[in-house]
Amino acid sequence: MKKYIIYIGILTAGLILGWLLFGNSSNSEEKHNHESSQTENQQWTCSMHPQIMQPEPGDCPICGMDLIPAETSADGLEANEFKMSQNALALANIESTIISNTTNSAGSLTLSGKINENEKTNAIQTAHFGGRIEKLFVNSTGEKVNQGQQLALIYSPELVTAQKELLTAIESKTKDLTLYKAVRNKLKLWKLSESQINKIEESKAIITNFPVYANVSGIVTKKMVEEGNYVKEGQSLLMISNLTTVWADFDAYEKQLSTIKKGDDITITTNTNPNKELKAKISFIDPVLNTSTRTVVVRAELNNRNGELKPGMFVKGVLASSNVKSNKKTIISVPKSSVLWTGKRSVVYVKKQGDEPIFELREVTLGNEIGEHYEILNGLSENEEIVTNGTFTVDAAAQLQGKKSMMSPEGGIVVTGHENHIGMQDTGNDQNGETEVVNRIKVDSKFQDQLSNLFTSYLAIKDALVNDNTKLTQTSAITFIDNLEKMDMKLLKDSKSHNVWMPILEVLKSSSNKISSTTEIKIQREYFVSLSNNIIKSIETFGVNRKVLKQFCPMANNDKGAFWLSLDEEIKNPYFGQAMLKCGSTEATIK
């Protein structure tokens, strides 16, 4: 019995010793493995660009800042997801719908476009002789003129000399008939009529101001001169368009071209009178694709003898070609209210599965317009839930949280130009052109030099808009983008300057890209507002070592008012150009 007690004691002691030696090691190894797993799964992100996720530390590929350890969200959200409160959903009346496949049996294709002048009927009225315009009888574009109507009076030194030659030739007519005929023919080449020449001969009086008559009837669509201008022989004076026929030009995406052919019937309606249908046929399909919009112009010619169709009107065309009719297929379509369209990108917001209001931005490719829906070619799948009402509110929530949004495809908070200056205070009066005093953030002089180059390219965009030159505006914006890419953000050493610059940078990128991608001056001027707001903020914050004038027009931006920068005291308004060149005032001087 005693022997058994000894054996049990030895066994117990062995178990205790084994636990002490190996049990603690197991726990330590488990702890070590857990920590190793955590380290292995650690992601690194940028404080300014939360969409950046990398498995190891380093520099942000966008801004160059040091990456920081990414915190795992308590809600388990991914970098491109965001959450809204139930209260916000209710206040904004946000609704979502589960999408499903449908059969496209409408047999029609809807295209959007606008009315343009029929270029075949356009005529340029030129000056048949050089001189000074003493009187212009056409005061504005839109005036109707008839063939033979007097348009202007021109004083021409050449014609005065030619008349003197004619009077001299008359006196020696019997001796030198050839000279007399040559002088008369010279006057005819300058479009003087037989009756005008005979009148000069009979009166023997020299006419100083000669009339210019309209060669065709139509509407003046472009006025190229003003009273007092000097013109050369052959110089353009007016463009006269015959609007008895007009073009309806539609934009068709390249993926739609297989269903469109010349001669197809198209039913056209205008926004002015949507209940009146105009029947026409496709007369022209542009052989060249617009690489910026990925569209091709599809044209129909319309009768406009009653003058109801005005160039610039928006129209809608419904095409019912045989190809469209036979193209019945299963598609995904979404309501138009769910799509945010920026010209190049189309996006929707997908609601993640579950009870929580979690959303994610999704880029989609649009197909045909089907009534109040868009066909979705890719980007969405059946049974996904998308926002169909309150889409703009959801997009605003994404922007506020620094997530991917319509205006910021890479994420980051979008600056509109109306926010308060971060780290600055306006201590001076910014009215009546007085100096605006701000507390600047001190940065490397090299960064200021780069900003100065960027500002110079901004001025080129401004000057091009002043002169209504859309092509030059576009190329100047491309130069601006090049200079923007040369801005070295690593020169901003402290987080304060970095945090101010990054939101500005995002808007400068977005606005300049929009301006460079179009020749529509209305769109260029629309994005010039945000470009100006943010270039102003950057110069106020960091400085460019020169005197800059901050100018303002209260009528720009749909009467909301808009700022721009200049080096010249003279007001030259980029938002209205030559139409209202002097509208505005200098509000402040930034030094």
Side-chain angles (χ1 to χ4, degrees), residues 9-80:
I10 293 171
L11 181 62
T12 303
L15 289 173
I16 294 171
L17 182 61
W19 181 84
L20 290 172
L21 291 175
F22 301 105
N24 190 47
S25 173
S26 175
N27 288 341
S28 176
E29 183 177 348
E30 183 181 343
K31 181 178 180 182
H32 173 74
N33 288 339
H34 179 69
E35 289 176 352
S36 175
S37 175
Q38 275 190 326
T39 304
E40 195 173 312
N41 295 327
Q42 177 66 62
Q43 294 288 306
W44 296 77
T45 187
C46 174
S47 58
M48 286 304 298
H49 298 93
Q51 73 272 21
I52 297 297
M53 284 290 174
Q54 293 188 358
E56 56 188 23
D59 294 337
C60 173
I62 297 176
C63 65
M65 283 188 74
D66 292 336
L67 297 180
I68 60 174
E71 296 181 5
T72 305
S73 170
D75 296 323
L77 300 183
E78 296 181 8
N80 60 336

Side-chain angles (χ1 to χ4, degrees), residues 209-416:
N209 295 335
F210 278 86
V212 176
Y213 297 104
N215 297 330
V216 296
S217 299
I219 304 296
V220 176
T221 53
K222 194 169 185 181
K223 184 180 171 187
M224 305 171 190
V225 291
E226 299 292 343
E227 275 188 18
N229 288 163
Y230 281 85
V231 294
K232 297 179 181 179
E233 182 179 348
Q235 183 174 334
S236 301
L237 304 177
L238 305 166
M239 179 184 284
I240 301 174
S241 301
N242 187 335
L243 298 180
T244 53
T245 61
V246 292
W247 287 343
D249 286 340
F250 300 94
D251 290 326
Y253 289 99
E254 53 184 319
K255 57 184 171 286
Q256 299 171 326
L257 292 178
S258 61
T259 64
I260 306 172
K261 66 180 185 297
K262 193 174 178 180
D264 281 346
D265 293 323
I266 186 168
T267 302
I268 300 170
T269 56
T270 65
N271 288 351
T272 307
N273 190 358
N275 296 322
K276 183 177 180 179
E277 294 183 345
L278 305 172
K279 303 292 185 181
K281 291 184 180 294
I282 299 297
S283 59
F284 172 79
I285 299 175
D286 197 331
V288 179
L289 177 77
N290 185 324
T291 54
S292 297
T293 60
R294 310 303 303 174
T295 59
V296 164
V297 173
V298 175
R299 178 176 299 147
E301 190 170 312
L302 298 173
N303 186 305
N304 189 37
R305 294 192 180 279
N306 56 11
E308 289 182 358
L309 302 174
K310 320 237 179 248
M313 275 185 172
F314 289 110
V315 291
K316 182 181 289 186
V318 178
L319 189 74
S321 71
S322 56
N323 286 342
V324 176
K325 289 176 182 176
S326 62
N327 192 23
K328 296 183 179 181
K329 59 180 181 179
T330 301
I331 63 170
I332 290 177
S333 67
V334 298
K336 290 181 178 179
S337 61
S338 64
V339 179
L340 299 178
W341 186 67
T342 65
K344 286 187 177 180
R345 299 169 57 243
S346 301
V347 300
V348 298
Y349 278 96
V350 177
K351 185 178 182 294
K352 308 300 285 187
Q353 291 183 351
D355 297 330
E356 295 293 326
I358 299 172
F359 301 93
E360 173 194 356
L361 180 89
R362 188 81 58 81
E363 275 197 44
V364 295
T365 303
L366 300 183
N368 297 330
E369 184 180 341
I370 308 170
E372 293 303 312
H373 289 70
Y374 286 124
E375 176 187 1
I376 300 296
L377 298 181
N378 58 59
L380 288 175
S381 303
E382 187 180 11
N383 296 325
E384 286 193 293
E385 189 172 354
I386 63 169
V387 176
T388 52
N389 188 63
T391 317
F392 276 103
T393 304
V394 176
D395 186 73
Q399 292 182 31
L400 290 172
Q401 296 184 39
K403 302 294 184 177
K404 292 181 181 180
S405 64
M406 178 178 67
M407 293 302 294
S408 181
E410 298 300 327
I413 298 172
V414 173
V415 180
T416 65

Side-chain angles (χ1 to χ4, degrees), residues 41-270:
N41 295 327
Q42 177 66 62
Q43 294 288 306
W44 296 77
T45 187
C46 174
S47 58
M48 286 304 298
H49 298 93
Q51 73 272 21
I52 297 297
M53 284 290 174
Q54 293 188 358
E56 56 188 23
D59 294 337
C60 173
I62 297 176
C63 65
M65 283 188 74
D66 292 336
L67 297 180
I68 60 174
E71 296 181 5
T72 305
S73 170
D75 296 323
L77 300 183
E78 296 181 8
N80 60 336
E81 295 177 346
F82 62 97
K83 186 176 180 180
M84 295 180 66
S85 67
Q86 295 289 354
N87 187 43
L89 292 179
L91 288 173
N93 193 26
I94 293 170
E95 299 175 0
S96 57
T97 303
I98 296 175
I99 57 177
S100 59
N101 291 334
T102 58
T103 302
N104 176 21
S105 57
S108 65
L109 175 66
T110 303
L111 302 175
S112 298
K114 67 178 181 179
I115 298 296
N116 288 321
E117 302 150 5
N118 184 343
E119 292 178 7
K120 295 179 181 178
T121 64
N122 285 348
I124 299 293
Q125 183 72 47
T126 60
H128 302 303
F129 41 83
R132 183 178 67 246
I133 299 177
E134 295 295 319
K135 184 67 177 176
L136 192 62
F137 298 105
V138 176
N139 297 315
S140 63
T141 57
E143 287 190 29
K144 185 176 181 180
V145 298
N146 297 313
Q147 186 175 6
Q149 178 180 330
Q150 188 173 343
L151 301 177
L153 287 174
I154 297 180
Y155 168 74
S156 173
E158 291 177 330
L159 275 176
V160 170
T161 302
Q163 289 176 85
K164 291 178 180 178
E165 292 174 355
L166 177 62
L167 296 179
T168 303
I170 292 173
E171 294 176 359
S172 58
K173 180 178 178 181
T174 54
K175 296 179 182 179
D176 193 348
L177 184 60
T178 304
L179 177 62
Y180 168 73
K181 289 182 177 179
V183 174
R184 283 183 65 94
N185 287 334
K186 184 178 180 181
L187 292 171
K188 288 179 182 178
L189 289 175
W190 279 325
K191 298 296 182 180
L192 267 68
S193 64
E194 285 282 353
S195 61
Q196 285 178 306
I197 297 172
N198 292 334
K199 185 178 179 181
I200 295 169
E201 287 189 20
E202 292 168 5
S203 65
K204 292 189 170 36
I206 294 175
I207 302 172
T208 55
N209 295 335
F210 278 86
V212 176
Y213 297 104
N215 297 330
V216 296
S217 299
I219 304 296
V220 176
T221 53
K222 194 169 185 181
K223 184 180 171 187
M224 305 171 190
V225 291
E226 299 292 343
E227 275 188 18
N229 288 163
Y230 281 85
V231 294
K232 297 179 181 179
E233 182 179 348
Q235 183 174 334
S236 301
L237 304 177
L238 305 166
M239 179 184 284
I240 301 174
S241 301
N242 187 335
L243 298 180
T244 53
T245 61
V246 292
W247 287 343
D249 286 340
F250 300 94
D251 290 326
Y253 289 99
E254 53 184 319
K255 57 184 171 286
Q256 299 171 326
L257 292 178
S258 61
T259 64
I260 306 172
K261 66 180 185 297
K262 193 174 178 180
D264 281 346
D265 293 323
I266 186 168
T267 302
I268 300 170
T269 56
T270 65

